Amino acid sequence: RSGLAKNALRCLGELFARYGRRMDVDVDASMATILKRASDTNHFISDEAELSLAEVFRSASQNRLIPSVLLSMNHRQVRTRQRATWCLVMLWQRLLQQGNTKDVKALMDATSKALSDANPHVRSLAKVAASLLHGSNLAPLPVRLQEAADLTVSELDAFDLSSLQRVLGQPPFGN
């Protein structure tokens, strides 16, 4: 069963890689499935789901990704919120690369909310998202995001450093 799930996730990632924005109609269903599998405790499956998520975020249109991510940010399961916050970081990276300011308010609100999440992993990923915003000219940062973005590396704990290394060490978008 695990092998089948892993191959299905790989296939889904390859579909997005091959067909790109033509897969936009399937983003909502795909994101729900991939996030569920990315939250799996079986690393064999969750690692493949994370690769598929990165491929979806490379290929799908931002307008289709944002509602799925924002919906997942409110999920009751911690691991799903954690992966959704990782997706939020990927959205910020993409938004900053493109200079698109259309959905900045909704993403800033989601980042602010994640900064006060009960889970330390979600908070650390939200700090990474806030640090990405620091110095950007998209919009003035709310005070809560500004405080999180002003952290120095010496103030980051192990969760924050591992999250930052993970996101920056494996950039989800090609050069």
Side-chain angles (χ1 to χ4, degrees):
R1 235 175 37 195
S2 294
L4 180 63
K6 180 179 179 176
N7 288 336
L9 288 166
R10 180 170 288 162
C11 181
L12 197 53
E14 288 176 3
L15 282 170
F16 273 93
R18 174 69 175 102
Y19 295 106
R21 294 180 192 267
R22 289 180 281 178
M23 292 289 294
D24 276 358
V25 293
D26 297 313
V27 165
D28 293 332
S30 300
M31 283 290 294
T33 301
I34 296 172
L35 278 171
K36 181 179 179 182
R37 295 299 169 209
S39 303
D40 200 311
T41 55
N42 181 346
H43 289 287
F44 181 72
I45 294 173
S46 65
D47 291 346
E48 190 64 42
E50 287 181 5
L51 292 173
S52 294
L53 271 176
E55 197 56 58
V56 169
F57 275 80
R58 264 189 218 100
S59 307
S61 71
Q62 186 174 306
N63 294 337
R64 297 297 294 207
L65 291 170
I66 290 173
S68 291
V69 171
L70 295 179
L71 182 66
S72 300
M73 295 286 295
N74 297 319
H75 200 276
R76 64 179 172 77
Q77 187 182 22
V78 171
R79 290 180 60 88
T80 301
R81 284 196 320 271
Q82 200 175 334
R83 295 304 185 266
T85 309
W86 182 62
C87 291
L88 182 68
V89 172
M90 288 192 289
L91 274 173
W92 274 121
Q93 269 187 322
R94 185 173 176 173
L95 189 112
L96 292 171
Q97 284 179 352
Q98 295 173 350
N100 186 348
T101 60
K102 181 181 174 194
D103 298 298
V104 168
K105 173 81 170 100
L107 294 177
M108 279 189 183
D109 290 345
T111 304
S112 292
K113 184 177 177 184
L115 284 168
S116 58
D117 194 274
N119 184 275
H121 295 288
V122 172
R123 287 193 312 267
S124 67
L125 284 166
K127 288 177 189 176
V128 171
S131 69
L132 286 172
L133 295 171
H134 190 64
S136 72
N137 296 325
L138 288 179
L141 292 179
V143 174
R144 179 93 171 108
L145 290 179
Q146 185 64 43
E147 290 170 358
D150 285 339
L151 292 174
T152 64
V153 173
S154 62
E155 294 172 318
L156 297 175
D157 59 20
F159 287 129
D160 300 332
L161 290 174
S162 66
S163 298
L164 186 60
Q165 181 180 16
R166 183 175 184 190
V167 170
L168 298 177
Q170 299 175 351
F173 305 109
N175 298 353

